[in-house]
Amino acid sequence: MTHSTAIIVAMQEELEIILQHLEHASTHERAGMQFHQGTFAGKPVVAVICGVGKVNAATCTQILISEFAVSRVINIGIAGGIGPGISPGDVVIADCLVQHDMDIAALGLPPGQIFRMDTLYFPTDPTLRRLAQEAASHITAHNVSTGCIASGDQFIASPEKSRWIHQQFNALACEMESASIAQACYLNNVPVICIRSISDNANDGANMDFEQFMSIAVQNASILLQQMLPACP
Ligand code: ADE
């Protein structure tokens, strides 16, 4: 299938929203992940849950690009809010992604900088960003911001750590996958967008907020996917 759109989601509930509308669907297993291929509103898509963390997310993204030949990647999920005024339920659309746990300071590199890569901030695609912003305008109950999202293989639940990530990278949100998805897309020259609903404030109470705001995240994902997918090129 050519020109298809990859949708990488975090949760089963988010995948269900897509599967309800997926026509001519077939499922293919690779690296222990289920890739659901079909058409959504007449557009070819491949939808998958990548699992938690940067290695799962990068592996999944490379399979989508190499085996399913996707033309763009949309990543939807949840994140901890770390920017000023970012609250649970809000939506953050990434303009760039960075790995907050990449640390080669011993060789003189700044936080986030990967050895021999020309950037530490992996940009999202301007067209997909505009589509995401238009789709998010249908989320009226919560604020929508655009800015940097920082990823690392850590669930952030401390005010000091979340303050450090915000100050170091000017990031609005933190999570565990999207910078590796964006890096894989950057290496393959494939357009990407990441959109995250805030489930917690990445502080001492992060695990409590997390459960409470999960359902809002799923509602946001439903609006975003139903608006964005038919509008994709
Ligand atoms: N995903 C949702 N909340 C998060 C947090 N606080 N840290 C990392 N990933 C998250």
PDB file of all heavy atoms in Angstrom, residues 94-114:
ATOM      1  N   ALA A  94       3.863  18.676  19.472  1.00  0.00           N
ATOM      2  CA  ALA A  94       5.321  18.892  19.451  1.00  0.00           C
ATOM      3  C   ALA A  94       5.739  19.668  18.210  1.00  0.00           C
ATOM      4  O   ALA A  94       5.340  19.324  17.098  1.00  0.00           O
ATOM      5  CB  ALA A  94       6.040  17.551  19.488  1.00  0.00           C
ATOM      6  N   ASP A  95       6.563  20.722  18.422  1.00  0.00           N
ATOM      7  CA  ASP A  95       7.241  21.291  17.254  1.00  0.00           C
ATOM      8  C   ASP A  95       8.625  20.654  17.105  1.00  0.00           C
ATOM      9  O   ASP A  95       9.198  20.659  16.023  1.00  0.00           O
ATOM     10  CB  ASP A  95       7.281  22.828  17.287  1.00  0.00           C
ATOM     11  CG  ASP A  95       7.982  23.401  18.496  1.00  0.00           C
ATOM     12  OD1 ASP A  95       8.549  22.626  19.293  1.00  0.00           O
ATOM     13  OD2 ASP A  95       7.958  24.634  18.645  1.00  0.00           O
ATOM     14  N   CYS A  96       9.159  20.116  18.205  1.00  0.00           N
ATOM     15  CA  CYS A  96      10.388  19.323  18.120  1.00  0.00           C
ATOM     16  C   CYS A  96      10.450  18.364  19.298  1.00  0.00           C
ATOM     17  O   CYS A  96       9.706  18.515  20.276  1.00  0.00           O
ATOM     18  CB  CYS A  96      11.619  20.224  18.096  1.00  0.00           C
ATOM     19  SG  CYS A  96      11.862  21.103  19.631  1.00  0.00           S
ATOM     20  N   LEU A  97      11.314  17.377  19.161  1.00  0.00           N
ATOM     21  CA  LEU A  97      11.465  16.329  20.180  1.00  0.00           C
ATOM     22  C   LEU A  97      12.935  16.208  20.531  1.00  0.00           C
ATOM     23  O   LEU A  97      13.789  16.319  19.645  1.00  0.00           O
ATOM     24  CB  LEU A  97      10.995  14.980  19.632  1.00  0.00           C
ATOM     25  CG  LEU A  97       9.514  14.715  19.358  1.00  0.00           C
ATOM     26  CD1 LEU A  97       8.634  15.098  20.532  1.00  0.00           C
ATOM     27  CD2 LEU A  97       9.031  15.368  18.096  1.00  0.00           C
ATOM     28  N   VAL A  98      13.203  15.949  21.814  1.00  0.00           N
ATOM     29  CA  VAL A  98      14.588  15.815  22.272  1.00  0.00           C
ATOM     30  C   VAL A  98      14.666  14.680  23.297  1.00  0.00           C
ATOM     31  O   VAL A  98      13.686  14.412  23.986  1.00  0.00           O
ATOM     32  CB  VAL A  98      15.083  17.159  22.873  1.00  0.00           C
ATOM     33  CG1 VAL A  98      14.270  17.560  24.105  1.00  0.00           C
ATOM     34  CG2 VAL A  98      16.562  17.142  23.202  1.00  0.00           C
ATOM     35  N   GLN A  99      15.842  14.036  23.385  1.00  0.00           N
ATOM     36  CA  GLN A  99      16.018  12.974  24.395  1.00  0.00           C
ATOM     37  C   GLN A  99      16.643  13.576  25.645  1.00  0.00           C
ATOM     38  O   GLN A  99      17.834  13.898  25.649  1.00  0.00           O
ATOM     39  CB  GLN A  99      16.950  11.886  23.860  1.00  0.00           C
ATOM     40  CG  GLN A  99      16.345  11.051  22.772  1.00  0.00           C
ATOM     41  CD  GLN A  99      17.275   9.916  22.364  1.00  0.00           C
ATOM     42  OE1 GLN A  99      17.909   9.266  23.195  1.00  0.00           O
ATOM     43  NE2 GLN A  99      17.365   9.678  21.066  1.00  0.00           N
ATOM     44  N   HIS A 100      15.847  13.708  26.725  1.00  0.00           N
ATOM     45  CA  HIS A 100      16.385  14.366  27.925  1.00  0.00           C
ATOM     46  C   HIS A 100      17.390  13.484  28.667  1.00  0.00           C
ATOM     47  O   HIS A 100      18.189  13.969  29.465  1.00  0.00           O
ATOM     48  CB  HIS A 100      15.263  14.822  28.864  1.00  0.00           C
ATOM     49  CG  HIS A 100      14.452  13.730  29.493  1.00  0.00           C
ATOM     50  ND1 HIS A 100      14.950  12.906  30.468  1.00  0.00           N
ATOM     51  CD2 HIS A 100      13.166  13.330  29.290  1.00  0.00           C
ATOM     52  CE1 HIS A 100      14.009  12.051  30.847  1.00  0.00           C
ATOM     53  NE2 HIS A 100      12.922  12.277  30.133  1.00  0.00           N
ATOM     54  N   ASP A 101      17.388  12.157  28.389  1.00  0.00           N
ATOM     55  CA  ASP A 101      18.300  11.270  29.114  1.00  0.00           C
ATOM     56  C   ASP A 101      19.559  10.932  28.316  1.00  0.00           C
ATOM     57  O   ASP A 101      20.365  10.107  28.746  1.00  0.00           O
ATOM     58  CB  ASP A 101      17.576   9.994  29.563  1.00  0.00           C
ATOM     59  CG  ASP A 101      17.012   9.182  28.393  1.00  0.00           C
ATOM     60  OD1 ASP A 101      16.987   9.702  27.253  1.00  0.00           O
ATOM     61  OD2 ASP A 101      16.592   8.036  28.621  1.00  0.00           O
ATOM     62  N   MET A 102      19.741  11.565  27.149  1.00  0.00           N
ATOM     63  CA  MET A 102      20.983  11.348  26.395  1.00  0.00           C
ATOM     64  C   MET A 102      22.080  12.195  27.060  1.00  0.00           C
ATOM     65  O   MET A 102      21.964  13.414  27.123  1.00  0.00           O
ATOM     66  CB  MET A 102      20.764  11.768  24.927  1.00  0.00           C
ATOM     67  CG  MET A 102      21.983  11.637  24.045  1.00  0.00           C
ATOM     68  SD  MET A 102      22.697   9.992  23.990  1.00  0.00           S
ATOM     69  CE  MET A 102      21.412   9.042  23.188  1.00  0.00           C
ATOM     70  N   ASP A 103      23.109  11.541  27.582  1.00  0.00           N
ATOM     71  CA  ASP A 103      24.097  12.242  28.408  1.00  0.00           C
ATOM     72  C   ASP A 103      25.505  11.801  28.032  1.00  0.00           C
ATOM     73  O   ASP A 103      25.959  10.729  28.429  1.00  0.00           O
ATOM     74  CB  ASP A 103      23.786  11.937  29.885  1.00  0.00           C
ATOM     75  CG  ASP A 103      24.787  12.595  30.827  1.00  0.00           C
ATOM     76  OD1 ASP A 103      25.773  13.203  30.345  1.00  0.00           O
ATOM     77  OD2 ASP A 103      24.590  12.491  32.044  1.00  0.00           O
ATOM     78  N   ILE A 104      26.174  12.632  27.210  1.00  0.00           N
ATOM     79  CA  ILE A 104      27.574  12.345  26.842  1.00  0.00           C
ATOM     80  C   ILE A 104      28.427  13.525  27.324  1.00  0.00           C
ATOM     81  O   ILE A 104      29.354  13.977  26.648  1.00  0.00           O
ATOM     82  CB  ILE A 104      27.700  12.057  25.322  1.00  0.00           C
ATOM     83  CG1 ILE A 104      26.591  11.097  24.848  1.00  0.00           C
ATOM     84  CG2 ILE A 104      29.069  11.447  25.005  1.00  0.00           C
ATOM     85  CD1 ILE A 104      26.670  10.640  23.401  1.00  0.00           C
ATOM     86  N   ALA A 105      28.077  14.012  28.526  1.00  0.00           N
ATOM     87  CA  ALA A 105      28.785  15.148  29.119  1.00  0.00           C
ATOM     88  C   ALA A 105      30.266  14.825  29.320  1.00  0.00           C
ATOM     89  O   ALA A 105      31.119  15.714  29.235  1.00  0.00           O
ATOM     90  CB  ALA A 105      28.138  15.516  30.449  1.00  0.00           C
ATOM     91  N   ALA A 106      30.581  13.559  29.567  1.00  0.00           N
ATOM     92  CA  ALA A 106      31.981  13.170  29.804  1.00  0.00           C
ATOM     93  C   ALA A 106      32.854  13.488  28.592  1.00  0.00           C
ATOM     94  O   ALA A 106      34.060  13.694  28.721  1.00  0.00           O
ATOM     95  CB  ALA A 106      32.053  11.682  30.140  1.00  0.00           C
ATOM     96  N   LEU A 107      32.231  13.558  27.406  1.00  0.00           N
ATOM     97  CA  LEU A 107      32.999  13.902  26.196  1.00  0.00           C
ATOM     98  C   LEU A 107      32.739  15.351  25.779  1.00  0.00           C
ATOM     99  O   LEU A 107      33.003  15.732  24.639  1.00  0.00           O
ATOM    100  CB  LEU A 107      32.636  12.943  25.045  1.00  0.00           C
ATOM    101  CG  LEU A 107      32.908  11.457  25.289  1.00  0.00           C
ATOM    102  CD1 LEU A 107      32.640  10.646  24.031  1.00  0.00           C
ATOM    103  CD2 LEU A 107      34.357  11.238  25.749  1.00  0.00           C
ATOM    104  N   GLY A 108      32.145  16.117  26.675  1.00  0.00           N
ATOM    105  CA  GLY A 108      31.963  17.551  26.439  1.00  0.00           C
ATOM    106  C   GLY A 108      30.697  17.913  25.691  1.00  0.00           C
ATOM    107  O   GLY A 108      30.537  19.065  25.274  1.00  0.00           O
ATOM    108  N   LEU A 109      29.780  16.979  25.493  1.00  0.00           N
ATOM    109  CA  LEU A 109      28.549  17.295  24.757  1.00  0.00           C
ATOM    110  C   LEU A 109      27.475  17.821  25.713  1.00  0.00           C
ATOM    111  O   LEU A 109      27.389  17.385  26.863  1.00  0.00           O
ATOM    112  CB  LEU A 109      28.014  16.061  24.027  1.00  0.00           C
ATOM    113  CG  LEU A 109      28.941  15.392  22.992  1.00  0.00           C
ATOM    114  CD1 LEU A 109      28.174  14.345  22.192  1.00  0.00           C
ATOM    115  CD2 LEU A 109      29.544  16.405  22.044  1.00  0.00           C
ATOM    116  N   PRO A 110      26.608  18.744  25.246  1.00  0.00           N
ATOM    117  CA  PRO A 110      25.530  19.246  26.097  1.00  0.00           C
ATOM    118  C   PRO A 110      24.450  18.181  26.288  1.00  0.00           C
ATOM    119  O   PRO A 110      24.340  17.259  25.474  1.00  0.00           O
ATOM    120  CB  PRO A 110      24.975  20.440  25.304  1.00  0.00           C
ATOM    121  CG  PRO A 110      25.365  20.188  23.896  1.00  0.00           C
ATOM    122  CD  PRO A 110      26.622  19.370  23.910  1.00  0.00           C
ATOM    123  N   PRO A 111      23.628  18.302  27.359  1.00  0.00           N
ATOM    124  CA  PRO A 111      22.555  17.324  27.578  1.00  0.00           C
ATOM    125  C   PRO A 111      21.693  17.168  26.323  1.00  0.00           C
ATOM    126  O   PRO A 111      21.352  18.165  25.668  1.00  0.00           O
ATOM    127  CB  PRO A 111      21.741  17.948  28.715  1.00  0.00           C
ATOM    128  CG  PRO A 111      22.696  18.823  29.438  1.00  0.00           C
ATOM    129  CD  PRO A 111      23.644  19.353  28.397  1.00  0.00           C
ATOM    130  N   GLY A 112      21.347  15.928  25.999  1.00  0.00           N
ATOM    131  CA  GLY A 112      20.469  15.663  24.859  1.00  0.00           C
ATOM    132  C   GLY A 112      21.212  15.442  23.554  1.00  0.00           C
ATOM    133  O   GLY A 112      20.666  14.851  22.612  1.00  0.00           O
ATOM    134  N   GLN A 113      22.475  15.926  23.470  1.00  0.00           N
ATOM    135  CA  GLN A 113      23.210  15.822  22.195  1.00  0.00           C
ATOM    136  C   GLN A 113      23.717  14.399  21.987  1.00  0.00           C
ATOM    137  O   GLN A 113      24.392  13.840  22.849  1.00  0.00           O
ATOM    138  CB  GLN A 113      24.394  16.789  22.182  1.00  0.00           C
ATOM    139  CG  GLN A 113      25.220  16.733  20.896  1.00  0.00           C
ATOM    140  CD  GLN A 113      24.448  17.208  19.667  1.00  0.00           C
ATOM    141  OE1 GLN A 113      23.892  18.294  19.667  1.00  0.00           O
ATOM    142  NE2 GLN A 113      24.403  16.394  18.620  1.00  0.00           N
ATOM    143  N   ILE A 114      23.376  13.821  20.840  1.00  0.00           N
ATOM    144  CA  ILE A 114      23.829  12.477  20.489  1.00  0.00           C
ATOM    145  C   ILE A 114      25.139  12.614  19.718  1.00  0.00           C
ATOM    146  O   ILE A 114      25.238  13.467  18.821  1.00  0.00           O
ATOM    147  CB  ILE A 114      22.761  11.764  19.624  1.00  0.00           C
ATOM    148  CG1 ILE A 114      21.414  11.748  20.364  1.00  0.00           C
ATOM    149  CG2 ILE A 114      23.199  10.355  19.249  1.00  0.00           C
ATOM    150  CD1 ILE A 114      20.223  11.510  19.460  1.00  0.00           C
TER     151      ILE A 114
END
